[in-house]
Structure formats: C-alpha cells, structure tokens
Amino acid sequence: MAAVWWRCRPIAAAAAAVALAGVATASAVVATPTVVLAASDVGSAADDRYRALVRRLWLNDPRWEVRSAARSALVSDLPNAIKAFLAPGGGYESARTRAAKNAARNDLIISRAIATSTPATSPHVNMTAKRAQHGTLDEKDRYVRTGLAEAQALDAKRAPVVQAKKQAELDRQYVADLAVNASGAWVKAAAQRTVKLGTDNDIAEFFKYSWASAADCDIQAYRLAVAEQQVRFRHEIDQLVTAAEEAQQAYNGASGAAKEKAAEEARTAWNTAAEVAADAKQKWHANEQLAAGQAQAWSKVREFATAATTQQDWPGIAQRATITGQAWTDELALAQEQTREWTKLAETTRANATAIPALGKPAAAAPTTPVV
C-alpha cells in the first residue's frame, strides 16, 4: 500500500504554502510549484495514521484473530509491516477470514448443543448454550473452549439450576420499555426476547447476563462496521490520490493541444477523490450521531440504576453503564476526529481540481486549505 492517503500535495499543499507566504498565483502553483512538502514528511504522517488504525484494531477489534495479527504487525521489525498488514490480501484480510471461519464453527457447536439438550435432561447446557447463542464473538469462543464442558460437568453431577425469585413489576416494566426504546439494536432485541418469554427466570437472566452481553454486541457490531469502513476508504482514497497525482504530473508536462485534455483528466481525477472523501466524511458524521446517542442512553441508564431499589444488582448495573458509556464516548471522539480529517481531505482534493485553469482562462485563486 502506497503511503499516499493524506498527501494530495501536487497543488493543494504547495498552494497552501505559497498562499501563507503571500506570494505567487495559482497558475504558478499549478505549473511549477515552488514549495512542496518533503516526501519524508508526507510518508511519516501517513505511517502514523496507518499505525493508529492498526493499534485500534489490536486494542478494540471484536475478533481475537484480528487483534492478534494486528499486534504482530505492530511489533514487527519489518519496515513495511503495517502497510503490508492493511494492504489488500494482507494480514488484516487473512485474519478476518480466519475469524469468520472460527465464528461459523462456534455457531455450529452452540446450535448443536441447544438442539441436543433440553431444560429437563441437560438444564445447564441448554441454559448456557442459549445464553451464548446471542453473545459476542469472544463470549461464544470462550463458551466453546471451556463453558460447554463446564456446563456438561454440572449436568453430569445433576447440579440444580437456581430458580429466580418472583421479579418486581417495576423491573418487568423497565425491560418492556427497553424492548421499545433501547438505543442499541442488540439490547432492544434482547429485551424483546425477554418480554416474549416472560418468566421470572427470563427477567432475572436479562438483568444478570443478557443486558450486558447485548450491550457488548452493540459495540461489537459498530466496531466491526467501522473497521471495514476505515480500511475500505483508505484503500480507495490511496488509489484515487495516486491516480490524481499521476494525472497532475501529466498535465504539468503537457503542452499544446494535449494540455486541455490533460487538464480535464487531472480535474476529473481530483474531483473523484474529493467525492470519495466527502462520502467518507458523511459516514463518519453518521457514526458521530450513533455514538453520541448511545453515550447519552447509557448515561441515563447509570442515573436510573443509581436510584433504583428493586432486587436487581443495580450498583453493578450502574458500574457497567459507566464503562459502556465511556466506550461509546471514546467512539464518539474517534468519529469526530475522522470527520474533521476527511472534511479537510475533501476540501484539499477539491481545491486541487479547481486550481487547474481551463485553457485560455486565468487560474483559480490559490487554495489555502491546510494539508491534512
């Protein structure tokens, strides 16, 4: 993967530097830029951003296979380990493929455990397998590795399954409200399943296990989508900026009748890159709104749990709400940062396009958009 994601330097970077110096016109910038970012500076900035993405995958990706592969890339002594990891066909894609295969295997084992057990014959296996069925990738993996065997051992000993006490009506109403108004799709679905089943055991199970697991699933789904979004947009913008730089060089070197065609091709290339950057900006803005809504919702859960007095473990729920809310606050901060960066990139690439003058017409004013 070429380290070009943020450079966009043939026009916009040079023009910004020229404008700040208060000299030259856009036509001079287009033809013979006098100030250009050093290649080492450009590469260093791109490398930092790639490393930040891989570090996020190591720390936050829901798939242990991706986390492990990302860590290996981060500690590697190879000079291009980070770029090779993110490149098409690289370590990220290989880890993602392994994760999908392992997840499918875990789902199959869990579904078989449910199909071959009943609450009467294998109560612990049946209960825990159903719990794992709706869990996160890590929860499913742990269950297949150790949890299923532990449940089978309990059933072999004929250990009794603890039955929940009668659940308070206020708690039932709270679950029913989440089934309609929960901000996360997984939490809402878990509450809906609980309301549909409706027993005291189901209500107790929701507050003790299902709610927290579903909250993790909401974060997991978001982070999986964001990881794919980040890698896809980075690959796409890298290719488009490289193509635009090549078209720009062709335009700068063209003369006579070929100049007008080269100018149009360069403008089109820069505008295409700008459109992709603008699309990424909009998606990150949507991520901002989603993360902000989740952070606010979990703040309300914490406030409610702090004052609640029914038999549930409300102090534990309040603590969990604080942790989950902070996770969404962190996601919000990332989304805001990415929105700003893609906004600048969209402006810079668009400025590169408009700075190329039509044949026989004066150049546009030198763009002053800072280089991202």
Side-chain angles (χ1 to χ4, degrees), residues 202-232:
D202 294 314
I203 299 296
E205 171 80 5
F206 177 83
F207 282 102
K208 192 171 183 180
Y209 296 107
S210 302
W211 194 5
S213 179
D216 285 342
C217 285
D218 277 321
I219 296 178
Q220 172 181 274
Y222 175 85
R223 287 175 172 168
L224 286 171
V226 164
E228 293 301 308
Q229 176 181 306
Q230 283 185 292
V231 173
R232 178 173 64 84

Side-chain angles (χ1 to χ4, degrees), residues 41-260:
D41 293 338
V42 174
S44 177
D47 288 345
D48 288 345
R49 296 186 188 281
Y50 294 135
R51 180 169 289 275
L53 171 55
V54 177
R55 179 176 174 79
R56 172 179 166 80
L57 293 173
W58 166 45
L59 295 175
N60 293 325
D61 196 272
R63 299 158 292 194
W64 68 262
E65 299 88 349
V66 173
R67 295 195 300 270
S68 177
R71 183 184 182 280
S72 295
L74 286 169
V75 302
S76 174
D77 293 331
L78 298 177
N80 293 320
I82 297 295
K83 295 173 189 174
F85 177 76
L86 292 174
Y92 172 74
E93 290 190 3
S94 297
R96 182 179 61 183
T97 299
R98 290 196 304 274
K101 290 180 179 179
N102 289 338
R105 179 205 63 197
N106 290 342
D107 284 340
L108 178 60
I109 292 173
I110 292 170
S111 64
R112 285 177 177 173
I114 295 173
T116 56
S117 66
T118 68
T121 60
S122 305
H124 287 93
V125 168
N126 189 264
M127 177 184 67
T128 56
K130 288 179 178 177
R131 182 186 298 164
Q133 182 182 34
H134 300 289
T136 65
L137 293 172
D138 280 346
E139 288 172 336
K140 289 179 179 180
D141 195 71
R142 284 195 298 270
Y143 183 73
V144 169
R145 290 176 185 272
T146 61
L148 178 56
E150 292 169 357
Q152 290 170 335
L154 288 172
D155 283 335
K157 294 178 181 178
R158 298 180 181 271
V161 174
V162 177
Q163 298 297 312
K165 299 178 181 179
K166 183 175 179 59
Q167 299 294 291
E169 185 60 29
L170 287 175
D171 290 340
R172 289 180 173 276
Q173 292 174 2
Y174 192 85
V175 178
D177 181 74
L178 288 175
V180 177
N181 299 313
S183 59
W186 282 83
V187 169
K188 182 179 291 187
Q192 290 171 346
R193 289 193 301 271
T194 300
V195 169
K196 183 177 181 180
L197 295 170
T199 69
D200 288 331
N201 283 337
D202 294 314
I203 299 296
E205 171 80 5
F206 177 83
F207 282 102
K208 192 171 183 180
Y209 296 107
S210 302
W211 194 5
S213 179
D216 285 342
C217 285
D218 277 321
I219 296 178
Q220 172 181 274
Y222 175 85
R223 287 175 172 168
L224 286 171
V226 164
E228 293 301 308
Q229 176 181 306
Q230 283 185 292
V231 173
R232 178 173 64 84
F233 275 124
R234 286 175 187 263
H235 288 165
E236 191 170 3
I237 202 66
D238 276 354
Q239 294 170 353
L240 291 174
V241 169
T242 296
E245 289 182 329
E246 292 173 353
Q248 181 67 42
Q249 292 172 1
Y251 163 73
N252 290 340
S255 60
K259 191 77 171 179
E260 183 173 4

Side-chain angles (χ1 to χ4, degrees), residues 11-12 15 26-27 29-30 251 267 349-358 362-367:
I11 301 177
S27 58
V29 173
V30 171
Y251 163 73
R267 275 193 296 269
T349 47
R350 189 72 72 187
N352 279 355
T354 57
I356 300 175

